[in-house]
Structures are given as C-alpha cells and as structure tokens.
Amino acid sequence: MSTSTSLTYSTDCTELRTSQQDWDDAAPELLETMLVQLHTVRVFEEVVLQLAGEGLVHGPAHSSIGQEGAAVGSILALRGADGVNGTHRGHHQFLAKGLSYLRPDGMTVVDGVKDDQLVEFVHRTMSEILGLQAGFSGGRGGSMHLQWLEAGALGTNAIVGGGVPLAAGNAWAQRHDAEAAEGRNDQDMGVTVTYFGDGASNIGSTLETFNLAAAWHLPLCFFIENNLYAVSTRVDEVTGEPRLAARGPGFGIRSWRVDGMDPLAVYLAQREAVEHMRAGRGATLIEAETYRYFHQNGPFPGSAFGYRTKEEEQQWRDRDPLRKVAGEMIRRDLLTDEQLEDLRERITGEVGRIVDRIAEEDPDSTTGGRRIRPDLWPDPATVDEGIRAEPTVAGQILADDAEPASSQRRFVDAIADVLGHRMATDRGVVVLGEDVHRLKGGTNGATRGLKDAYPDRVLGTPISENAFAGLGGGMSMTGRYRPVIEFMYSDFLWVAADQVFNQIGKARHMFGGRSGMPVVLRSKVAMGAGYGSQHSMDPAGVFATNPGWRIVAPSTPRDYIGLMNSALDLQDPVLVLEHVDLYGTKGEVPDGDLDYRLPVGHAAVRRTGTGVTVLSYLNMVDVSLQAAERRPDLDAEVVDLRWLDRASLDWDTVGASVRKTNSVLIVEQGPPGTSYGGWLADEIQRRFFDHLDQPVQRVTGREAAPSISRVLESAANAGLDDVLAGLDEVARNLGLS
C-alpha cells in the first residue's frame, strides 16, 4: 500500500501581529518619526489628487492614501544606503525613503518638514509628478517613475512587476560588494526592498526573480502590498491561495504576513527580514495586508465604479494607520490632540506653499482656475536629450587601415579572449546567462575559461530571461558593474522583451539621463544552423526601432575585439550580435593586443567601387563580397556597417558612397517582416533622394521563419543567389544587361 507524507519547507512563513506590549516598548523617537512621515505622505497625496482634479497632473495619479503604513513602517527599518524600488503606486515609498535618508536620526512633531532640505525634497518630488524641470528626472518620469539614487530610491516603475528583476541586480551588487570587502562584517551588507502589489505577484518576471534571488541568496526583500485589488479584480478571483506570503516557502524564501494598516507591525517584520538578509541567509518576503482608499487612479473611491462597497471601504478607513499611531502615542502621553492638529496644519501649509511656487492663477480661466507657471516646464528642445550618453572610449583606437603584427584567431575564440581581458582589467565586468559557466564556454565556447578565472563574476543563470536580463540592468544602474548578458538565441530576447525594451532601453532617458545603463547584451543569429523558427531570428530591425539601444554587428575576429571593447566603454546598453556562420571562421587580430578599440559609429569599406553601394553586416558581408566579384561589371562598393543603431550608424561613409554610386542594395539574411533594411532604406531615401538613380533595392529572406528542413531553411534565408539576383535588379534599372 502506498504511503503519504506531508512535505515540509526549508523555511518558514509566519504571521506577525503587534501586542499592546509592542506599542509600549516602541521607542518614542520611532513613533514620532512614523507619525510625521505618515502625515507628510497623506497630505502630499491629498494635494496631488486635488491637483489632478484641477487638471494639473498630466496622466495618471495613483495615490497611496491608505497604504502609507506599509511604506513608512518598512523603510524605517532600513539604512540610508539600502535600496528600494516600487511600482506605479510608489509616491509613499519614495517620500518615506527620501525623508529617512535626509533625517536618519528621526523626525519630530515640533519640526515636521519645515527645514530647507526637506522642503526642497518635497518640492522636487511634486515637480517630477507634475512633469516639471525641477523634478528629479526633469519631468520625464512623472508620477510613475520616481528615482533618487543618492537616497537609495532606485526608481518606481509603470510596468507591473517590471522593477522586481532590477531590484535583484542591486541586491546582487550589494552582496558581491560585501563579499569582496576586506575585513568585511556581514552586518555591513546592504539590502534591497522591492515593493509591488497583489497583481504583480502573478507576473512571470516576479516569480522568476523569486527563484533567482532564493537560489543566489540575494539580500532582497519582496514586499507585497496586498491591497486586495488589481484595478478592480479581487485577489481571491485570480489566485488560488490569496495569502500571498504562502508563496515564499515554495521558493525557499523566509516569509512574513503582517497587518499593513499597523505601521509598527510592518516595522517589526521588516526588521526581522533585514536581520535575516544581513546575516547572509538570503531573500525574504513580506505580505502586508493594506487598502487603497481610492480607485486605481484619481480622486474617486472604488465604490464609485461598483467593484467595492461603501461598507467595505469604511471598515478599512476605521483601521487607518495614521489614526493607529496617533492613538497609541496619545495613550502613552507622547502626543496631545492639539499637537496632532498643529502638525497636520503645518504640513498642509508647507505643501501648500510648495504648490504656490508651482501653480498660479490661470489668466484665461473664467472660474478662477490655476495653471502651471509657464517658466517651470522643461525646454521642448531637450525632448531627445539623455537617450544615450556621449560615446567615449577608454583605450587606443585602431584604424581600419592599420597593419600591426597579427596572428590568426577563430571568431569564437576572439570573443572569449576579449571578455577574459576585460574581466582581468575591470572588476566591474560580470558575465551572466544560461550555461555560460559550463560546457567549456557555454553552448558555443564563447565564454571558455572565464568561470575558472573569475568564479564570482561568471554567473550561470536559471532559465528565466526576464529575471536575469533585469538583474543585469539593476547591476548596471549601481554605476559599479558592467554586465555582459548572453542570450543563447536571439529569439529568447522576446521572452525578456519587457526588461530589454521597457526597462533597460528606456531607463536612461526616463530618469532624466542622470545615470548610465552600461549593459552589453550578446546574442547569436542562428540562421542556417537547423534550429528552426524559434531559434534563428535576426533581431537588428526590432532593436533599431526601439529607443536607447546601440547595436554592434562584427563580421571579423579583429572587429569583434575592437567593437566589444568600445561597447564595454559606453554608458549605454549595447546589443552585440554574433552569427553562427562566423564562429568557426578565422581572421587576423593584432598580435598580443586585446585592448584596442574601434571607433563608435564607423563603418568599414570592404571593397571600393563606383557602380552600386552594397550595405550589409555580420555573415552577409562576405556573401556580398562574393557576389560583387561575380559581377565585376557593376563595380560594387561593399560597406560593412558594423554599427546599426540610429545614433551610431556611419552616415558619412554611407553618404559618400551613395553620392558616388547613385544606387544602393541592402543585403540581409532574414525575413522582411523584422527586417533591418526596411528602416535603413527609408532613411537613405529621405537623406539621399536627390543622389539616387533608382529606388533602394533590398535582399531579404522569405516571409516565413526558417524551418527545420534543410531545404526549406535554405529557401527561407537569403544567400549568394539572392544577392546576385539583387545585383541583377540594380543592373536592369541602370539599363545594363
């Protein structure tokens, strides 16, 4: 007969509730600071909703009224150097972190927020929410993207669950810094708290990060503000186990469930979680049961939309965290009703004066309405500033016509060589991805030898593309690390599209261009390798039409070393493409020199000519050269683009060639649907229309993604015959046979 044995987890999930004794034992200074911060957040949020009602908040206003206790209670258990990030509903966390950073010794009822530092902090926060130049990100982030790195506020996030992997990157950096420090003390290790709601607890990126953080023992606290509703959908409608803290033990994460309307309970739970993490015992999770008094967005209660009852809302209002703290302080003779009222009035007055600096009477209003003071808006001319940094490289530039002593090297070996060299010379370079630490250098050998040489900086990740891509982004935002993230196949980038495009690509501009995003993302194009529709794509066209990314496409071992070095010098995210056809090829590299750079934004003319400009990249450069030799009558000039993104493409070289040949053929291997050439042809015809004797011609593969069948794959991908056919079309348009 079979037997059944209940399984136990490797860690605990407990519920923490405060007793009267806890309130009696709480330090008066702690309670006083709680009270001031709670009322500051509440008044601030009420004013934001008022401004939204006047039409002065452009976009959503996700207030945190009702949820202040969760943010204030948890952040008071942290240090100034600890990191936090959050979601679209993050004003309360941002304010609490900034106030705690500016006043690490606490706040008093007598002082409130009257001093210049605190007033300026609140002013800059309000300015950012209103989209003004004085905001922390110059108005580009607004309500949903608040960042102040100096204070450990890593950035709130409009994508549900989108900030969770980024927080893991910050936590990895904290742990690695602590382990690398001489004479280290584990209690010196920083921790990170990532705040999100019940809705985000069901997002794949969140669950992937649960697993990664637990496996790697990261000092990361997953703080779930369970306010019961994802917009209007109740948590018990979409979750089999609505006690969300119960998820933690399944991943090996120590977890707590706590009353989020009780700031002291939150503080005590967070303090236990911090002690657990600083002791090196890994990730934690806190579920705080809380409630937003208003709808998802704006100044109306949820009952106005029919998904909550007024009775339910009143029951939660009766548990108000501000009332709870004030009541306990009054009971202990630490506060009087008059002092409480005075505190509230002074904070209201201070925030009101801040608004008066920002808004004025609208001269065009017939009802006495207000407007934002016109001189406070950002300059429209700066709209594109901060997308990328100025491209500077740190080493010697090697000219294309330089002829140093050289040796032959396989393309794939050049990858491992340059990565090893940069890891040796820069302790901030970290290599991560699936299987990069095994199989003698990953699935293609490109990371050969790195794990043995740098065991703490070569990270074999779980199969969780969102989590490890975001972790790399979070590492880079610290300013101390330059992650090199390998995606085994380019198609897998789409699994991590949120982190790649919404987070890493947009972060620099979204947060005002005030911090870098030095991420290098390596991935291979496997067309022709028999891996079929889901392992073969060329992502260049999609990346070229998304903001923030630079794109590098080396075609030789020499170029790979020089371009990778340049990519690792930049403060921008760079996609480095590799093609499987090139891995086994050999080419010359400067003998004994792994430190040279190739300039940013410089193409290479591989064959000079006057008849037609052929533009290509990766493996198709060689195919184009072969085709050009077959049609000497056309005298093709073949240009290896190397840098493919809008900001880095070498328009000087392309333009000079077009003005000389007056005809263009763009050659790429993949299908037209995701084609890089479609964007490039449009740009060329806009820039050089007067110099063209015919439309820009293109060579692409077929519409279908490549199949497994050797015959069908060959038919789907462009090859030598297709390039020759493209040259034939150019010749016909020129009146040549």
Side-chain angles (χ1 to χ4, degrees):
M1 176 179 286
S2 62
T3 61
S4 297
T5 305
S6 295
L7 295 177
T8 58
Y9 295 101
S10 61
T11 190
D12 296 326
C13 179
T14 55
E15 187 165 83
L16 189 152
R17 303 286 172 178
T18 55
S19 65
Q20 195 67 65
Q21 188 64 50
D22 292 317
W23 284 97
D24 290 340
D25 292 341
E29 298 82 5
L30 172 66
L31 298 182
E32 195 167 6
T33 300
M34 272 186 187
L35 186 74
V36 177
Q37 290 199 8
L38 288 167
H39 279 273
T40 302
V41 175
R42 175 68 58 87
V43 170
F44 183 93
E45 290 284 64
E46 289 171 345
V47 171
V48 168
L49 288 184
Q50 178 187 341
L51 294 172
E54 296 179 46
L56 298 183
V57 178
H58 183 61
H62 301 99
S63 85
S64 61
I65 295 176
Q67 299 184 200
E68 301 94 338
V72 170
S74 63
I75 286 173
L76 284 175
L78 305 179
R79 298 172 184 164
D82 293 331
V84 304
N85 75 355
T87 67
H88 55 283
R89 192 181 314 285
H91 301 169
H92 54 329
Q93 298 142 10
F94 185 79
L95 287 166
K97 191 65 169 77
L99 293 172
S100 294
Y101 173 75
L102 291 171
R103 290 294 172 270
D105 296 327
M107 304 177 71
T108 66
V109 171
V110 173
D111 291 333
V113 291
K114 68 181 182 182
D115 78 64
D116 292 345
Q117 268 192 323
L118 297 178
V119 170
E120 182 58 19
F121 166 61
V122 176
H123 172 252
R124 291 186 69 191
T125 304
M126 185 68 76
S127 295
E128 186 59 43
I129 290 171
L130 295 174
L132 307 181
Q133 179 61 42
F136 280 95
S137 299
R140 290 182 179 155
S143 171
M144 297 187 289
H145 308 107
L146 295 167
Q147 182 187 70
W148 187 20
L149 294 178
E150 180 186 334
L154 308 177
T156 56
N157 205 291
I159 301 297
V160 175
V164 178
L166 297 169
N170 194 71
W172 183 91
Q174 289 169 319
R175 194 201 70 184
H176 190 267
D177 290 345
E179 291 175 346
E182 294 184 10
R184 64 188 176 96
N185 181 343
D186 284 340
Q187 290 304 310
D188 293 336
M189 181 166 60
V191 303
T192 300
V193 182
T194 182
Y195 295 89
F196 54 93
D198 46 285
S201 67
N202 297 321
I203 290 285
S205 58
T206 300
L207 299 174
E208 287 182 19
T209 311
F210 280 4
N211 180 67
L212 188 151
W216 290 1
H217 304 289
L218 299 183
L220 176 62
C221 177
F222 300 94
F223 196 104
I224 306 174
E225 287 185 307
N226 183 359
N227 63 22
L228 304 185
Y229 292 91
V231 187
S232 64
T233 302
R234 278 189 66 95
V235 63
D236 54 12
E237 294 180 80
V238 294
T239 305
E241 172 52 83
R243 297 173 301 174
L244 301 178
R247 297 187 177 190
F251 288 92
I253 298 174
R254 174 72 173 93
S255 302
W256 290 260
R257 193 165 191 252
V258 65
D259 179 3
M261 309 301 276
D262 180 344
L264 182 60
V266 175
Y267 171 82
L268 295 174
Q270 185 71 78
R271 190 173 64 179
E272 290 183 15
V274 167
E275 290 173 356
H276 179 95
M277 292 184 290
R278 290 205 210 281
R281 296 200 292 271
T284 58
L285 183 151
I286 296 173
E287 177 195 4
E289 303 166 281
T290 186
Y291 202 77
R292 52 174 164 83
Y293 292 170
F294 292 92
H295 179 54
Q296 163 78 354
N297 168 36
F300 302 102
S303 56
F305 298 87
Y307 63 88
R308 302 193 308 207
T309 66
K310 292 182 179 180
E311 291 75 18
E312 177 185 299
E313 290 172 341
Q314 187 58 51
Q315 288 171 3
W316 282 91
R317 281 183 177 272
D318 290 342
R319 298 169 56 190
D320 191 279
L322 281 68
R323 186 184 307 171
K324 175 70 172 175
V325 175
E328 294 292 345
M329 291 180 69
I330 291 171
R331 181 185 63 80
R332 290 181 55 186
D333 294 326
L334 301 174
L335 181 74
T336 66
D337 289 327
E338 292 76 15
Q339 288 173 323
L340 178 62
E341 183 62 28
D342 181 61
L343 174 67
R344 168 83 183 184
E345 289 179 0
R346 285 188 288 109
I347 294 173
T348 301
E350 201 61 69
V351 176
R353 285 186 286 276
I354 288 169
V355 172
D356 289 342
R357 294 166 55 189
I358 293 173
E360 65 182 10
E361 184 178 340
D362 186 350
D364 298 325
S365 173
T366 59
T367 60
R370 294 188 293 182
R371 68 175 186 180
I372 301 294
R373 296 179 183 272
D375 60 310
L376 302 182
W377 293 108
D379 182 352
T382 66
V383 62
D384 284 337
E385 289 182 6
I387 296 175
R388 301 172 188 84
E390 283 299 312
T392 57
V393 295
Q396 180 180 357
I397 297 293
L398 183 68
D400 285 321
D401 58 359
E403 296 184 2
S406 61
S407 57
Q408 292 282 312
R409 198 71 174 139
R410 287 197 314 159
F411 192 98
V412 72
D413 293 330
I415 299 174
D417 292 345
V418 68
L419 289 178
H421 173 72
R422 289 305 294 264
M423 294 187 82
T425 56
D426 183 350
R427 296 187 59 82
V429 176
V430 179
V431 172
L432 66 150
E434 296 161 3
D435 293 307
V436 296
H437 61 319
R438 299 273 164 77
L439 307 177
K440 297 183 179 180
T443 55
N444 292 101
T447 54
R448 168 192 44 77
L450 300 185
K451 179 66 175 178
D452 292 338
Y454 311 102
D456 59 333
R457 289 189 285 134
V458 177
L459 313 177
T461 67
I463 300 176
S464 52
E465 282 81 3
N466 257 305
F468 70 71
L471 180 131
M475 284 183 189
S476 72
M477 290 173 72
T478 68
R480 303 189 299 277
Y481 293 97
R482 294 179 177 274
V484 179
I485 309 170
E486 177 181 308
F487 272 70
M488 195 179 291
Y489 292 92
S490 292
D491 308 67
F492 299 174
L493 290 162
W494 271 223
V495 181
D498 172 45
Q499 294 300 316
V500 170
F501 298 120
N502 281 327
Q503 310 300 338
I504 295 172
K506 295 177 181 177
R508 197 174 193 285
H509 180 263
M510 185 169 70
F511 291 124
R514 288 168 164 78
S515 60
M517 181 59 80
V519 172
V520 170
L521 197 160
R522 295 179 43 244
S523 193
K524 66 172 175 274
V525 178
M527 293 179 190
Y531 272 79
S533 298
Q534 296 176 332
H535 285 66
S536 303
M537 79 170 299
D538 175 358
V542 179
F543 273 77
T545 53
N546 274 270
W549 282 91
R550 296 184 188 269
I551 310 167
V552 169
S555 64
T556 69
R558 176 186 185 273
D559 277 13
Y560 193 98
I561 295 171
L563 293 172
M564 175 57 82
N565 276 325
S566 296
L568 281 168
D569 288 345
L570 299 178
Q571 288 296 312
D572 305 321
V574 184
L575 172 67
V576 178
L577 291 174
E578 302 160 10
H579 198 291
V580 292
D581 284 359
L582 298 175
Y583 280 151
T585 63
K586 287 187 175 182
E588 291 188 348
V589 298
D591 201 9
D593 183 6
L594 291 168
D595 205 38
Y596 64 89
R597 274 78 166 158
L598 291 177
V600 175
H602 281 231
V605 178
R606 303 299 187 191
R607 183 185 194 274
T608 59
T610 60
V612 57
T613 298
V614 179
L615 304 176
S616 194
Y617 59 95
L618 291 177
N619 62 316
M620 296 306 285
V621 172
D622 185 64
V623 175
S624 298
L625 289 169
Q626 294 177 45
E629 294 303 318
R630 297 269 194 99
R631 289 297 306 262
D633 57 313
L634 275 177
D635 192 22
E637 180 155 287
V638 178
V639 179
D640 182 349
L641 293 172
R642 298 200 294 205
W643 294 86
L644 306 184
D645 59 277
R646 182 183 299 272
S648 310
L649 197 138
D650 187 354
W651 290 113
D652 290 341
T653 296
V654 171
S657 184
V658 172
R659 284 187 284 268
K660 177 171 57 174
T661 67
N662 309 117
S663 296
V664 177
L665 176 66
I666 301 172
V667 176
E668 55 189 324
Q669 189 176 21
T674 54
S675 166
Y676 174 75
W679 168 83
L680 181 59
D682 175 71
E683 281 290 319
I684 289 171
Q685 290 180 151
R686 290 174 187 276
R687 291 169 182 257
F688 308 114
F689 181 81
D690 290 343
H691 298 280
L692 293 172
D693 290 340
Q694 60 178 298
V696 174
Q697 303 298 327
R698 292 170 56 203
V699 173
T700 69
R702 306 305 181 266
E703 181 180 357
S707 304
I708 292 293
S709 164
R710 183 187 297 273
V711 173
L712 292 177
E713 181 181 42
S714 179
N717 297 334
L720 179 59
D721 290 343
D722 299 285
V723 182
L724 289 168
L727 291 174
D728 289 344
E729 180 65 18
V730 171
R732 281 191 292 272
N733 290 330
L734 293 174
L736 303 174
S737 57

